[in-house]
Amino acid sequence: MNSKEIGSTIKKRRQELKVNQLTLSELAGVGINTLVAIERGTGNPKLETLLSVLDTLGLQLNITLKD
């Protein structure tokens, strides 16, 4: 999974929950510009920041070996 796919997944989940970007950024404790960049797949967030956004959305990060 690349950064664009991660961002797309985050955006889709946020929209499913009917939460706007500003609200999510506040709930996750991250800047709005950071969240926008993550959703676009152009950001380079700290792992802690990404995990906070994922946790707020009820998502988790799983690490597996490549095929």
Side-chain angles (χ1 to χ4, degrees):
M1 185 172 256
N2 62 39
S3 58
K4 289 216 181 271
E5 292 170 324
I6 292 169
S8 177
T9 300
I10 289 171
K11 182 177 181 177
K12 181 179 175 186
R13 176 67 175 157
R14 176 180 59 76
Q15 291 173 334
E16 287 171 355
L17 295 173
K18 298 183 181 359
V19 175
N20 64 39
Q21 288 176 322
L22 182 59
T23 300
L24 176 57
S25 70
E26 291 172 352
L27 291 172
V30 303
I32 183 70
N33 292 332
T34 300
L35 178 61
V36 170
I38 291 170
E39 285 192 357
R40 289 182 181 163
T42 60
N44 188 18
K46 293 181 185 177
L47 180 58
E48 180 180 313
T49 300
L50 180 60
L51 291 175
S52 179
V53 171
L54 293 173
D55 185 57
T56 302
L57 292 171
L59 300 171
Q60 66 184 18
L61 180 66
N62 292 314
I63 300 173
T64 59
L65 293 174
K66 288 182 177 183
D67 292 334

